[in-house]
Amino acid sequence: MQHTHKIWMSLAVVAWLSACAPMGQQKPLAHVLDATNLNLSSAPLPHTQANFWQQLNDPVLNQLLAQTLSDAPDLAATRARIDGAAAQYGLARSQTGPQIAADGTFNRQRFSEYGMYAGLFGGQYMNSFDLSLKGAWEFDFWGKHRAQMAAAIGQKNALEYELEQTRLMLAQAVLTQYIQWQNLLRQQDILQRRIAVQKNAAGLMVNREHAGLLAGSDVYPLQMGAHQLQAQVAQIDGQIDAIKHTLAALSGQAPDALNGAQPTMWKTVPTVPAANVTADLLGQRPDIAAQRAALQAASEHIKAAKAEFYPNVKINGLVGLSSIEIGNLFETGAKVVNILPAVTLPIFNSGALKAQLAQSHAQYDLQAAQYNKTVLTALREAADALSDGQATAKQSQERLAAWQLLQKASNAKAARVRAGLDNKLSTWQNQDDALAAEGLYQNALTAQRLAWVNTQITLGGGFDAAANHTESAGK
């Protein structure tokens, strides 16, 4: 016992001396932006709903998004990375406990007639039989493995948040294509009505030409205009097919899977909340949460790198049976016991530990720069989205007013024709102008709908970091 006590005292003294190994000069870590130094208001920011598109009550859209968010390859790839991060945590955690392994060996050896044991065993074959339990336990005095575990948890959380961000980007892609699809169908309907108006007008002019009241050259512009509009209809057909192919790919289906599908034609436009960007945004966006978790992981890697400067204390042990005769292997005298405390001292390593620490600092600074960039980009996107939402709403109002005025003018002209005060041919231009204005109004409504989607996304799309972290921790 006295001998063992001296051994442990010696190890303690050596560990204490080694703990003073210099880490060298390390520059300060990079500055991280927060709500205070960004001068962000603490006023509440509108919080979007999870699966915000469901408030549109569109079964076709809901089905598309449900399939996209379950089968998309990008989501599957991120989930695989999350599983890898969870495994990394398990590896780090395994280092904090004892390691035990069973070993059984048989060895047959011929000894050299001129070697060290020539006088005893030279020229002879000897057998040895061994059964053992080997164990090792590394003491985490300086928190190296705890830091590695925390880093793995941080990386897993970052990937969980990245999964949410990928989900939002996929939802935005589907919604954008779907809204464009709706608009193309509306534009196609308006073009067909414009074609009918121009064909009717051309027919009246042809009759007048035949009656000698008009020259043939007066008919050609209308006929040419109808053909140009028909070319636009054909172009829209191709654009619709491309949208269907894109939506099919996003939802993990064959390109022709949506050939018979039709989108629901919304009658209303969701309103964009009037608000300014506030500090709440830093907690509502999954991309910011992902960068923040990755930054925390980088900080833990620095702690692990610092722990390398201190002595590593490890106990290796063996309990087993060894014999040169198989029949004596289980005799009491065949027992073997070996306990070996070991201390690894970082005395001289040609600057490797300092370089590793500097590398950890550099990785932290890189992650801090990425975090700061993500925050600034998010603030700009949110401010743009809120402004764009108000601007597109105003534009829609003006386009609606212009369309209504032209429609009134067309109706008034038609009333004059019915009253015999004007000829029917004079009404076509008013009708065509009103239909063209309707097309511009539908484009404005589309821009307003896209602005609403963009606002939902830039405000986080219903992301809740606390709920997401609780859910992922339970997995």
Side-chain angles (χ1 to χ4, degrees):
M1 289 295 294
Q2 185 177 5
H3 180 66
T4 302
H5 179 71
K6 290 181 179 179
I7 291 176
W8 281 106
M9 286 296 294
S10 299
L11 290 174
V13 171
V14 173
W16 180 81
L17 291 173
S18 178
C20 298
M23 296 183 186
Q25 288 291 337
Q26 299 292 332
K27 67 177 182 179
L29 295 175
H31 176 68
V32 178
L33 296 175
D34 58 25
T36 301
N37 51 45
L38 287 169
N39 296 320
L40 293 178
S41 167
S42 59
L45 187 70
H47 193 83
T48 57
Q49 302 176 14
N51 300 333
F52 59 89
W53 54 86
Q54 291 182 353
Q55 62 187 281
L56 300 171
N57 296 317
D58 186 335
V60 177
L61 176 63
N62 290 342
Q63 176 61 31
L64 268 175
L65 281 166
Q67 188 158 356
T68 299
L69 298 180
S70 62
D71 298 336
D74 287 346
L75 294 176
T78 304
R79 291 188 185 104
R81 293 170 62 200
I82 291 172
D83 292 340
Q88 192 64 39
Y89 169 78
L91 288 173
R93 188 170 183 269
S94 69
Q95 300 300 312
T96 62
Q99 312 291 314
I100 299 175
D103 188 20
T105 61
F106 164 70
N107 182 42
R108 181 172 176 80
Q109 178 180 355
R110 182 186 185 277
F111 286 85
S112 171
E113 298 178 18
Y114 305 100
M116 182 182 298
Y117 302 104
L120 294 175
F121 310 113
Q124 297 183 39
Y125 285 89
M126 299 289 291
N127 298 330
S128 65
F129 303 89
D130 296 277
L131 291 175
S132 63
L133 284 177
K134 298 178 180 179
W137 194 351
E138 181 179 342
F139 295 93
D140 193 22
F141 286 126
W142 319 114
K144 171 186 172 181
H145 298 311
R146 292 192 296 273
Q148 291 173 338
M149 290 167 57
I153 291 174
Q155 189 59 37
K156 183 175 181 290
N157 288 337
L159 289 170
E160 291 279 2
Y161 301 145
E162 186 178 318
L163 181 68
E164 290 300 309
Q165 181 66 16
T166 303
R167 180 176 175 273
L168 283 182
M169 293 299 98
L170 286 169
Q172 184 178 29
V174 170
L175 281 160
T176 299
Q177 294 293 319
Y178 191 84
I179 291 171
Q180 295 287 7
W181 187 8
Q182 292 173 322
N183 185 50
L184 288 173
L185 289 175
R186 288 188 174 95
Q187 296 298 333
Q188 205 169 47
D189 174 67
I190 292 170
L191 286 172
Q192 294 288 7
R193 285 184 278 152
R194 290 183 65 188
I195 290 170
V197 167
Q198 295 203 11
K199 283 184 175 181
N200 288 336
L204 290 174
M205 295 185 74
V206 167
N207 291 335
R208 292 196 172 196
E209 178 196 3
H210 291 164
L213 301 176
L214 287 175
S217 58
D218 294 330
V219 182
Y220 302 150
L222 275 175
Q223 292 175 329
M224 183 178 65
H227 286 300
Q228 289 175 337
L229 293 176
Q230 286 173 334
Q232 292 182 39
V233 171
Q235 182 182 19
I236 288 177
D237 282 334
Q239 293 173 338
I240 289 175
D241 286 343
I243 285 177
K244 289 180 180 180
H245 299 159
T246 300
L247 288 172
L250 287 170
S251 57
Q253 302 181 76
D256 59 351
L258 300 178
N259 281 355
Q262 288 292 325
T264 304
M265 306 303 284
W266 304 338
K267 295 181 180 179
T268 59
V269 180
T271 57
V272 174
N276 296 318
V277 178
T278 69
D280 279 359
L281 184 70
L282 303 184
Q284 288 185 194
R285 286 186 48 136
D287 55 344
I288 294 178
Q291 293 295 327
R292 184 165 53 245
L295 188 64
Q296 293 169 348
S299 177
E300 295 297 334
H301 282 304
I302 291 177
K303 294 178 183 179
K306 287 182 177 180
E308 294 283 2
F309 285 82
Y310 299 100
N312 182 36
V313 180
K314 186 175 183 180
I315 295 180
N316 294 297
L318 179 148
V319 176
L321 302 169
S322 179
S323 173
I324 61 174
E325 297 289 343
I326 186 65
N328 297 326
L329 183 61
F330 296 98
E331 297 292 335
T332 303
K335 181 173 62 175
V336 177
V337 178
N338 182 19
I339 299 178
L340 179 63
V343 179
T344 303
L345 306 176
I347 296 174
F348 181 75
N349 48 57
S350 299
L353 294 181
K354 292 180 182 179
Q356 290 174 4
L357 180 58
Q359 185 179 43
S360 298
H361 274 249
Q363 289 295 328
Y364 179 92
D365 290 347
L366 174 61
Q367 188 59 53
Q370 291 175 343
Y371 173 81
N372 291 341
K373 180 181 178 181
T374 301
V375 168
L376 293 174
T377 300
L379 295 175
R380 176 186 59 78
E381 290 176 347
D384 288 349
L386 291 169
S387 298
D388 192 45
Q390 303 306 314
T392 54
K394 180 64 176 176
Q395 184 183 12
S396 294
Q397 293 172 0
E398 297 299 333
R399 291 294 186 189
L400 175 61
W403 173 40
Q404 290 173 337
L405 284 174
L406 287 170
Q407 188 64 47
K408 288 179 180 179
S410 177
N411 292 338
K413 178 69 84 170
R416 287 178 59 83
V417 170
R418 289 192 298 270
L421 301 176
D422 213 336
N423 64 74
K424 191 174 183 181
L425 185 61
S426 65
T427 65
W428 81 266
Q429 188 62 58
N430 297 84
Q431 292 174 345
D432 190 69
D433 289 343
L435 288 170
E438 182 183 355
L440 293 175
Y441 171 59
Q442 292 299 332
N443 283 336
L445 287 180
T446 297
Q448 189 177 354
R449 292 183 175 107
L450 291 174
W452 175 78
V453 171
N454 191 39
T455 301
Q456 300 296 309
I457 298 297
T458 56
L459 295 184
F463 171 73
D464 186 341
N468 184 275
H469 180 71
T470 301
E471 179 184 353
S472 64
K475 292 180 180 178

